Amino acid sequence: MLQIKNLHKKFNTLDGEIIALDNVSLNIKAGDFVAIVGKSGSGKTTLLNMIGGLDIPDSGSILFDGTDIAQLSNKNTAILRRQKIGVIYQFYNLIPELNIVENITLPTELDGGEIDKEWLAEILKIVGLNGREQAYPNTLSGGQQQRVAIARALFNKPLLILADEPTGNLDGENSAEVLRLLKTMNEEHKITVLIVTHSEAVAREAKRVITISDGVIVSDRRQ
């Protein structure tokens, strides 16, 4: 599903040049559940952003479902994310003026697609928010907001979910619930999951753990 070859990215800072990714190569199979771990500044979030088309590499290729994401225009990258890649952010990125249903269905609305009401009802049930459809983000707990973000990422039935520290702002109970939701979508709906995390508990639940240090993959193991 995903073939990354010789991915390189550097940033210029006041302290000089920083190499975020140093010729990283990686293959991920469809249906896998992969955790990317490493210290802050190791390059793991940069890698996730490259895969999601949120940042552009200096060199290298990112083949996703036969398309090189690194070569797409901003418009086509955004369309690819809405249709095939679900992104879950640490800070939820919900739109405060929209209610739960409107936040979940926004990507479909932007594509001019029809809302599958049966799937919407199922998604709301899966994330435990049925009955709260008209609630706004500021009335929800952090755990509930993250579940809305997960529902939004899943609504278009993507091939790949990218999750950047999705449990980073949650307590133990809510973290476990978010992880359970991701595992359910991976195991029952065969969605590939790629998650960046500092949490050892989250990493233990993955099928594969990739460790990055100073922009280089130093460990890649199945468990």
Side-chain angles (χ1 to χ4, degrees), residues 100-120:
I100 286 177
V101 167
E102 291 167 339
N103 266 287
I104 291 171
T105 59
L106 180 61
T108 301
E109 297 278 7
L110 290 173
D111 273 339
E114 291 188 13
I115 303 303
D116 185 337
K117 293 183 179 179
E118 289 186 6
W119 177 235
L120 175 61

Side-chain angles (χ1 to χ4, degrees), residues 99-109 114-134 147-148 150-157 185 189:
N99 63 32
I100 286 177
V101 167
E102 291 167 339
N103 266 287
I104 291 171
T105 59
L106 180 61
T108 301
E109 297 278 7
E114 291 188 13
I115 303 303
D116 185 337
K117 293 183 179 179
E118 289 186 6
W119 177 235
L120 175 61
E122 184 176 344
I123 281 287
L124 287 166
K125 185 176 180 181
I126 288 171
V127 300
L129 289 171
N130 47 319
R132 300 295 308 276
E133 292 86 350
Q134 304 305 313
R147 281 185 271 156
V148 175
I150 291 172
R152 179 183 58 193
L154 296 173
F155 186 65
N156 279 345
K157 300 179 181 178
M185 300 313 295
H189 296 270

